[in-house]
Amino acid sequence: MLSKIIVHRVGNRINQESLILAQEELILDDEMKELLEDFFLKAFKSEEQFRFYSDSYLVNNPVYSSVAEIFEDKGKFIWEAENIAKHLYEITENPRVQSGELFVVYFEGEENADGNKIDSIGIFKTENKTPFLKIFPQNESFEIEKDYGIGLSKLDKGCIIYNSFKETGFAVSVIDNNKNGDMYYWFEDFLKVKQRDDEYFHTQETLAVYKDFITHQLPQEFEVSKADQADFLNKSINFFKEKEKFDFDEFANEVLEDKNVIESFSNFKSDYENEMQVSISEDFAINESAVKKQSRGFKSVIKLDKNFHIYVHGDRKKIETGQDEKGKYYRLYFDEEK
């Protein structure tokens, strides 16, 4: 439930625009609170979560430090919200970044079954202004005026910081729907966050590195057809959809099967972890949301010149490939035509 809110106007420092700081919180009626809650919170649909980090100590991350102070003492809300706005203003180095309103919001959490509640702090920035018409009576007719305001259909930038996992940088949900040609401004320069090492992360990364292995590394080391690659992709995504937990050995034996392919994938995964400086678990609970998101890229399509596309969804044994005097061909077996 929204309990505190303050709004600042943050211009682009490089373009010599102003920073206008409010001195008081907004006082809202219940209807407006409900409207703003819906606008702010509906934008966060993914289960992907991040955490604050610092190149030295966590307390040196300005946003982390400010929200930690607010969680400790809500009496510091106005002061720390001002520090957050000043920080956002100071880090702007790109003239393409749009000015906008910065909302800092305190949400009271609801009690769970154990009687505990997790409060959260939202930081939201609106940049794009939507044109709208104002119609009002004038004499015996009506007048129409064009104006600009904040559209409630899509939030430009935002983050929600949950009062949990404080020691490792809190749990943070982040969106940026308006990058303005600067992909680092919100995630890196302002918030300085990286993805949390959780079930979503391990599910996402395992699927990503596996797909990269099948599509790029596997055909370099082994004699495999596009149909074989499609089969590997189908079996892997089905494994993740059907299982509740991921076990590397189980996955390797059921999906990869061949010991040489398994060894190659293990080496590829290790190289990926070293290059990306991440550690991907080999035993974790599978996150359905991450599987759903990653599965969009697991489309098993065999492209044949510019004439045909074959979408492979199932049994590899029903596809044969060969070559005769007319050229290369695929032979497909099926039970019925739909």
Side-chain angles (χ1 to χ4, degrees):
M1 180 181 70
L2 190 156
S3 65
K4 288 177 172 291
I5 181 170
I6 194 167
V7 185
H8 302 299
R9 174 73 182 181
V10 181
N12 186 309
R13 181 177 62 85
I14 299 300
N15 295 335
Q16 298 183 325
E17 297 171 348
S18 300
L19 170 65
I20 303 173
L21 299 170
Q23 302 304 307
E24 297 178 349
E25 296 177 36
L26 285 175
I27 306 300
L28 306 175
D29 59 30
D30 290 342
E31 184 179 358
M32 182 57 72
K33 284 183 179 179
E34 187 176 338
L35 180 70
L36 288 176
E37 273 187 32
D38 181 66
F39 172 52
F40 293 141
L41 301 182
K42 71 181 180 182
F44 296 85
K45 299 175 182 178
S46 173
E47 292 182 27
E48 182 178 18
Q49 288 195 328
F50 298 80
R51 63 177 177 85
F52 292 110
Y53 77 98
S54 172
D55 296 328
S56 53
Y57 299 101
L58 255 178
V59 71
N60 292 331
N61 181 309
V63 181
Y64 170 86
S65 179
S66 288
V67 297
E69 288 292 329
I70 297 171
F71 282 135
E72 193 71 29
D73 180 3
K74 283 189 284 186
K76 296 180 180 180
F77 178 76
I78 294 177
W79 172 257
E80 295 297 346
E82 183 175 304
N83 287 336
I84 290 170
K86 288 178 179 177
H87 171 58
L88 180 62
Y89 184 72
E90 289 300 322
I91 60 92
T92 305
E93 299 288 344
N94 190 330
R96 290 193 294 262
V97 171
Q98 293 172 255
S99 60
E101 294 76 24
L102 185 73
F103 297 79
V104 182
V105 185
Y106 194 96
F107 296 101
E108 298 280 352
E110 296 182 359
E111 286 192 8
N112 58 25
D114 299 325
N116 299 317
K117 67 184 185 73
I118 299 177
D119 292 351
S120 59
I121 294 170
I123 304 172
F124 312 104
K125 189 185 178 196
T126 55
E127 297 171 332
N128 287 316
K129 296 297 182 289
T130 303
F132 64 90
L133 298 177
K134 295 193 294 186
I135 302 175
F136 51 89
Q138 183 71 28
N139 298 325
E140 295 183 359
S141 183
F142 291 90
E143 290 289 329
I144 298 179
E145 287 185 2
K146 182 181 180 181
D147 208 337
Y148 292 85
I150 300 170
L152 298 179
S153 60
K154 189 177 184 181
L155 180 65
D156 290 317
K157 290 175 168 62
C159 72
I160 300 175
I161 304 103
Y162 302 95
N163 192 12
S164 58
F165 306 105
K166 177 182 178 181
E167 294 76 13
T168 54
F170 292 115
V172 188
S173 296
V174 189
I175 58 167
D176 185 357
N177 292 320
N178 187 35
K179 292 184 172 60
N180 312 116
D182 191 338
M183 60 186 295
Y184 302 105
Y185 164 71
W186 188 251
F187 274 81
E188 181 63 28
D189 299 338
F190 173 54
L191 295 173
K192 206 170 183 67
V193 290
K194 62 175 60 175
Q195 196 171 353
R196 284 191 69 225
D197 185 3
D198 57 12
E199 295 168 2
Y200 188 103
F201 169 80
H202 292 299
T203 304
Q204 170 189 274
E205 290 298 297
T206 300
L207 282 168
V209 71
Y210 176 79
K211 182 189 174 187
D212 200 26
F213 170 75
I214 294 301
T215 54
H216 297 103
Q217 186 65 25
L218 186 68
Q220 293 182 23
E221 291 190 40
F222 303 93
E223 193 171 319
V224 291
S225 66
K226 290 290 185 180
D228 294 326
Q229 289 177 276
D231 187 48
F232 276 122
L233 292 177
N234 280 330
K235 287 195 295 185
S236 64
I237 205 67
N238 288 335
F239 180 95
F240 274 82
K241 288 179 178 179
E242 293 168 2
K243 305 285 186 179
E244 293 184 358
K245 290 195 66 177
F246 177 87
D247 176 81
F248 182 85
D249 291 334
E250 182 184 14
F251 175 78
N253 291 327
E254 288 189 19
V255 177
L256 297 175
E257 298 181 2
D258 185 276
K259 66 177 183 179
N260 294 320
V261 175
I262 293 172
E263 183 181 357
S264 175
F265 176 59
S266 296
N267 294 334
F268 185 83
K269 178 176 175 289
S270 296
D271 292 342
Y272 177 89
E273 290 173 311
N274 291 332
E275 182 179 347
M276 303 303 293
Q277 295 186 327
V278 297
S279 178
I280 306 171
S281 176
E282 296 189 352
D283 183 13
F284 55 87
I286 292 173
N287 183 281
E288 291 183 15
S289 179
V291 173
K292 184 177 180 180
K293 183 177 180 181
Q294 290 294 107
S295 63
R296 297 169 192 160
F298 274 66
K299 293 180 179 178
S300 304
V301 184
I302 301 173
K303 298 180 181 180
L304 309 177
D305 300 328
K306 295 181 180 180
N307 298 313
F308 306 103
H309 285 180
I310 301 175
Y311 290 81
V312 184
H313 302 291
D315 193 349
R316 166 69 179 89
K317 296 176 182 177
K318 293 191 174 184
I319 305 176
E320 292 182 1
T321 184
Q323 186 170 358
D324 59 20
E325 66 278 359
K326 293 182 180 179
K328 298 177 182 178
Y329 64 82
Y330 276 93
R331 181 181 291 138
L332 310 178
Y333 295 92
F334 60 94
D335 296 320
E336 57 181 307
E337 187 174 6
K338 297 182 179 180

